[in-house]
Amino acid sequence: MKQKMNLKSGMFNGLPAYACALLLLAAGLVLSVLYAVTVGSAELSVGEVYRVILYELFRWGDPEQLGSGAVHDIVWLIRLPRVVLAVLVGMGLSVVGAVMQAIVKNPLADPYVLGISSGASLGATLTLLLGAGLFGAAGVGLGAFIGALAAAFSVIAIAGIGGRITSVKLILAGVALSSLCSAFSNLIVYVADDPSRFMTVQFWLMGSLAGAQWSGNFRILCVVLPCTLFFISQARILNLMLMGDDTAVTLGTDLQPYRRAYLVIASLMVGFVVHVSGVIGFVGLIIPHTVRGIFGVDHKKLLPLSALTGSVFLVWADVAARTILPRTEVPIGILISVVGAPFFIFLMVRKNYSFGGRA
C-alpha cells in the first residue's frame, strides 16, 4: 500500500510560522552581510568600511578620499564581492540540493555526493587546459556546465544498470563518479606539468571564495536568481516527484520530461557556481535537510527558506574560514566538509531518512 506524502510535516508548518521565518532569515542575511564585510586581515574600522560602501552606492562623501586608495580597494574590490559571492553560492547550492533530492527521491542526494560538483570541476579544468579558456570566463563556465550535466545523467544511468534505481545505488554511483572525475582532473594537470595549472585544479578541489570579482558575481547572479525563481514556480511538480511516478501518472502528469529539464537547469547552476567557487560540498545536503525537518517537505516553502538559509550559512562559513586561524585562510570547502561529512554519516545511519516516513 502506498504511503501518502504528508506535505505539512515538520515542527512548524503554518503560514504565520513560514512568514516569520522568511522575515527573520531575510533580516539575518542583511545583518550577516553587514558584519561579514567588516571582517578581514586588514584592520579597518566599521566607519571606514561603511563610508566606502555608501560612497560607491550613493556617492556620499569625498571622492578623493573614498573613491580610491587601499581602504577603498580592500572594501569594495575584495571584501564586499566576496560576501556577495558567498550569498549567491550558498543560495545556488542549497536550492540545487533540494531539487536534486526531489528528482532522485533521495534525501541524501546533493551535487557533491552525487559527483555533479566534481564533474563540473573536471569540465572547467578540461576547458581551461585545452584552450577553450581563450573565450574567457564564459567558456570555462560552459565547460563546467557540460561537465556537471554529463555527471548528473551518468550517475542516474549507472544507478539504473541491472534494475531499479535505489538510494544506495545512487550514492555509490555518485561516490565512484566523483572519485573518477577528481582522478582525471589530477591526471590532466600531472601530464601538463605546469605548477600554475596544478594550483588552478587545487582551487577547484578545495573550494574558495577568494577570487570573487564584481563581473563574476554578476554572471552568477544572472544564473542563480532566475533558476531559483523558476524552481520555486515548479513547487507542485517537485512535490509530485516525492510522491512517485505512479501517483503522478494517476494525477495526469508525466514526470520524466520535467526530471530531465530540471537536471539540465540544476547542472547549469552547479556548473557556474563551481566555476567561481570551486567544489564546496555538503551545503546542498545540510541546508535542505535541516529546513525540511523544521518546516516540512512542501517545496513552496522549502525552496525559499533553503535559499535564504544557505546564503546565511555560507556567509558565516566564509567568516569562519577567514578568521579561524590567525594570518591564514582555511579553504571553505575543507571547513564545510569537516561539518558536512559527519552530518552525512548521521543521516546514513538513521532509519528514517526518507521523505515523509521510514526508508
Side-chain angles (χ1 to χ4, degrees):
M1 181 178 178
K2 295 185 181 298
Q3 182 182 11
K4 184 179 180 180
M5 183 65 59
N6 179 16
L7 296 178
K8 294 184 179 180
S9 61
M11 296 171 57
F12 305 101
N13 50 52
L15 182 60
Y18 169 65
C20 288
L22 278 180
L23 291 175
L24 289 175
L25 285 171
L29 179 59
V30 172
L31 293 176
S32 298
V33 170
L34 292 177
Y35 173 77
V37 77
T38 66
V39 177
S41 57
E43 295 184 1
L44 301 178
S45 68
V46 175
E48 288 178 306
V49 171
Y50 290 147
R51 278 196 294 270
V52 170
I53 295 175
L54 289 174
Y55 171 76
E56 288 291 344
L57 293 178
F58 305 108
R59 298 302 174 186
W60 292 349
D62 183 4
E64 294 185 0
Q65 180 182 1
L66 302 175
S68 61
V71 175
H72 170 273
D73 292 346
I74 291 172
V75 174
W76 188 252
L77 301 181
I78 298 177
R79 288 189 185 178
L80 190 57
R82 179 171 182 149
V83 175
V84 172
L85 182 61
V87 172
L88 296 174
V89 170
M91 177 183 298
L93 292 177
S94 300
V95 170
V96 168
V99 171
M100 289 299 301
Q101 289 161 15
I103 290 174
V104 303
K105 202 181 176 183
N106 182 357
L108 298 181
D110 93 317
Y112 182 78
V113 174
L114 292 182
I116 300 175
S117 294
S118 295
S121 176
L122 175 59
T125 303
L126 279 171
T127 305
L128 182 64
L129 297 184
L130 295 180
L134 294 174
F135 295 100
V140 181
L142 179 61
F145 161 62
I146 294 173
L149 185 63
F153 282 106
S154 296
V155 167
I156 293 178
I158 294 171
I161 295 175
R164 186 173 62 89
I165 296 176
T166 65
S167 298
V168 174
K169 291 171 69 176
L170 278 169
I171 298 301
L172 292 177
V175 171
L177 190 65
S178 178
S179 299
L180 185 63
C181 291
S182 297
F184 271 114
S185 295
N186 288 321
L187 177 62
I188 292 168
V189 176
Y190 178 77
V191 172
D193 193 23
D194 187 335
S196 63
R197 294 179 178 180
F198 175 78
M199 293 303 297
T200 300
V201 173
Q202 287 298 104
F203 163 79
W204 273 309
L205 293 180
M206 293 188 296
S208 174
L209 302 176
Q213 297 179 349
W214 285 119
S215 57
N217 288 355
F218 179 74
R219 287 192 294 269
I220 298 301
L221 176 66
C222 292
V223 173
V224 169
L225 188 57
C227 291
T228 297
L229 295 175
F230 169 77
F231 281 129
I232 292 174
S233 72
Q234 300 296 299
R236 175 183 170 275
I237 301 297
L238 291 169
N239 288 339
L240 283 177
M241 287 182 177
L242 300 185
M243 299 178 183
D245 288 68
D246 293 340
T247 302
V249 169
T250 62
L251 297 175
T253 303
D254 180 9
L255 294 179
Q256 290 306 318
Y258 292 100
R259 190 172 281 115
R260 287 191 290 268
Y262 294 170
L263 272 176
V264 172
I265 296 172
S267 299
L268 177 66
M269 293 178 69
V270 173
F272 275 85
V273 165
V274 169
H275 164 50
V276 296
S277 67
V279 180
I280 301 177
F282 297 110
V283 176
L285 175 69
I286 297 173
I287 301 303
H289 186 84
T290 302
V291 174
R292 189 182 295 114
I294 299 175
F295 295 97
V297 300
D298 186 356
H299 286 84
K300 187 179 296 184
K301 299 178 182 178
L302 175 64
L303 291 177
L305 292 174
S306 294
L308 290 173
T309 305
S311 296
V312 174
F313 173 80
L314 209 65
V315 167
W316 283 100
D318 184 55
V319 170
R322 286 184 280 152
T323 59
I324 194 170
L325 294 178
R327 294 183 299 278
T328 189
E329 177 182 330
V330 178
I332 192 171
I334 295 177
L335 183 64
I336 293 180
S337 293
V338 171
V339 178
F343 188 85
F344 178 75
I345 295 172
F346 169 72
L347 293 182
M348 284 287 292
V349 299
R350 290 182 63 189
K351 295 182 179 180
N352 60 337
Y353 61 79
S354 64
F355 293 110
R358 293 187 175 274

